[in-house]
Amino acid sequence: MTIRRTTAGKSPNYKKTKDGAGMTEAGRRRYNKETGGNLKPPVTKKSNLSTEDKKRRASYCARSAGQLKQSSAATRRDPNSRINVARRNWRCT
């Protein structure tokens, strides 16, 4: 079975940009079932984070900063681009 890896269109697996971008809970469940993966929801809390959550956030923020650096200038400047919305959702600085 092929997994559809697009964030465009009316897929129930991805949130709309105005809703915070990223995958929905149903999308994560489907992906994990089909691939045997272990995707988890974003770390959106501000305080009382476990060490594991702090490490996950730091890792995501570092990876997404690299993705943002390689994207177009228009995407980097657009506060409503999917990558910028997702970084805000994860509370990356």
Side-chain angles (χ1 to χ4, degrees):
M1 183 183 299
T2 303
I3 297 174
R4 186 170 175 238
R5 298 196 190 272
T6 179
T7 59
K10 295 185 177 183
S11 172
N13 297 328
Y14 295 95
K15 295 179 187 175
K16 294 187 180 350
T17 305
K18 66 180 179 180
D19 297 332
M23 292 185 86
T24 61
E25 180 61 34
R28 284 190 298 274
R29 277 196 309 267
R30 180 176 175 212
Y31 179 87
N32 289 339
K33 182 179 177 184
E34 290 177 359
T35 65
N38 189 24
L39 290 179
K40 298 175 185 171
V43 179
T44 57
K45 297 185 291 185
K46 285 186 176 182
S47 59
N48 297 331
L49 295 176
S50 68
T51 304
E52 179 183 338
D53 285 344
K54 289 178 185 176
K55 288 180 181 179
R56 280 187 62 225
R57 176 181 284 163
S59 175
Y60 173 79
C61 290
R63 282 183 286 122
S64 65
Q67 291 171 339
L68 190 60
K69 188 185 275 188
Q70 292 183 348
S71 64
S72 70
T75 299
R76 287 192 299 268
R77 284 191 304 262
D78 180 9
N80 294 319
S81 66
R82 289 191 70 80
I83 187 73
N84 285 328
V85 171
R87 286 178 55 81
R88 267 197 314 272
N89 191 27
W90 276 81
R91 302 187 191 284
C92 297
T93 56

